[in-house]
Amino acid sequence: MQVKLLRLLETGAFRSVGSVEPRQADIRLVSATHRDLRRMVAAGTFRQDLYFRLNTFPVELPPLRARQADIPLLARSLIARVAPDRPLEIDDDALAALAAYPFPGNVRELRNILERATLFCDGDTVLPEHLPAEVFQRAPWSPDRETGGPGTDEAVLAALGGHRGNRKALARRLGVSERTLYRRIRALRATGQLPD
């Protein structure tokens, strides 16, 4: 398939299934992947020439868990799309819960969660009880990781970005002590990842 796609991109010619006549196409290709194509090229599982053809104007988009500040805007926009006939709002506590969730399924998972929530919502506001249980059960940061680790700072920043209550409630939601939370916040401020 990679060879066929490369040929189409280079020549603009293709053949319909069952046809022997070549046809010309004038196309612009926009592609997206969650895979590391550079690594795949190095491993020999993705053609280097096709990679360079596709990599004309790359746009790197970090995963949703690294863009917690985008969650409120995305959530409101997605609710308007999944329930266009209902003027629904989303509660601040529900937004805080979503901001603390790591979203392994990225924006698609956020959309599915919100679509499910709108089905459970009888009123005009999506509340935390309308969100699925996994949003609350899968804490991105646990006490045994309080000293560091690849997701720790990300998780604290994500939780702080969507939190509207006091630090005690935030610590409880993250499953850590207040002291541990204050230590992590101090460390983030010292490294410049969190403003004073």
Side-chain angles (χ1 to χ4, degrees):
M1 187 58 79
Q2 290 183 37
V3 173
K4 290 178 182 177
L5 182 57
L6 181 64
R7 190 177 305 126
L8 171 65
L9 292 174
E10 292 201 351
T11 65
F14 71 98
R15 280 190 320 213
S16 299
V17 176
S19 173
V20 292
E21 294 294 319
R23 293 185 174 191
Q24 284 299 119
D26 183 14
I27 62 168
R28 175 173 293 163
L29 179 68
V30 178
S31 58
T33 184
H34 64 281
R35 299 196 179 182
D36 186 345
L37 293 182
R38 288 183 212 101
R39 189 174 292 154
M40 291 176 70
V41 167
T45 57
F46 197 87
R47 292 181 60 103
Q48 185 177 33
D49 48 2
L50 179 57
Y51 170 74
F52 288 126
R53 259 306 195 171
L54 294 174
N55 199 33
T56 306
F57 188 77
V59 177
E60 299 278 337
L61 188 61
L64 187 56
R65 67 182 166 273
R67 298 180 288 132
Q68 75 278 1
D70 293 348
I71 289 175
L73 185 63
L74 274 170
R76 289 183 179 101
S77 172
L78 289 169
I79 284 177
R81 287 185 197 176
V82 299
D85 300 329
R86 297 171 65 192
L88 289 173
E89 294 293 324
I90 185 163
D91 180 70
D92 286 343
D93 290 337
L95 280 174
L98 291 172
Y101 183 65
F103 286 103
N106 225 335
V107 177
R108 188 174 294 122
E109 184 180 15
L110 174 61
R111 184 187 192 284
N112 291 343
I113 285 172
L114 292 170
E115 186 168 9
R116 188 178 334 164
T118 61
L119 294 173
F120 285 117
C121 178
D122 289 332
D124 57 359
T125 304
V126 173
L127 300 170
E129 57 261 28
H130 300 133
L131 300 175
E134 66 260 19
V135 170
F136 304 98
Q137 292 169 351
R138 295 185 55 191
W141 186 39
S142 58
D144 58 353
R145 294 174 59 201
E146 67 183 57
T147 55
T152 304
D153 291 346
E154 230 176 62
V156 174
L157 288 169
L160 284 169
H163 187 67
R164 300 287 183 266
N166 61 32
R167 298 271 168 88
K168 185 175 186 175
L170 179 61
R172 190 171 47 248
R173 195 175 81 221
L174 288 170
V176 298
S177 69
E178 282 184 76
R179 186 174 175 194
T180 297
L181 178 60
Y182 279 106
R183 244 194 335 262
R184 295 304 309 152
I185 290 172
R186 263 198 314 273
L188 288 168
R189 285 186 175 142
T191 60
Q193 295 178 60
L194 185 66
D196 289 330

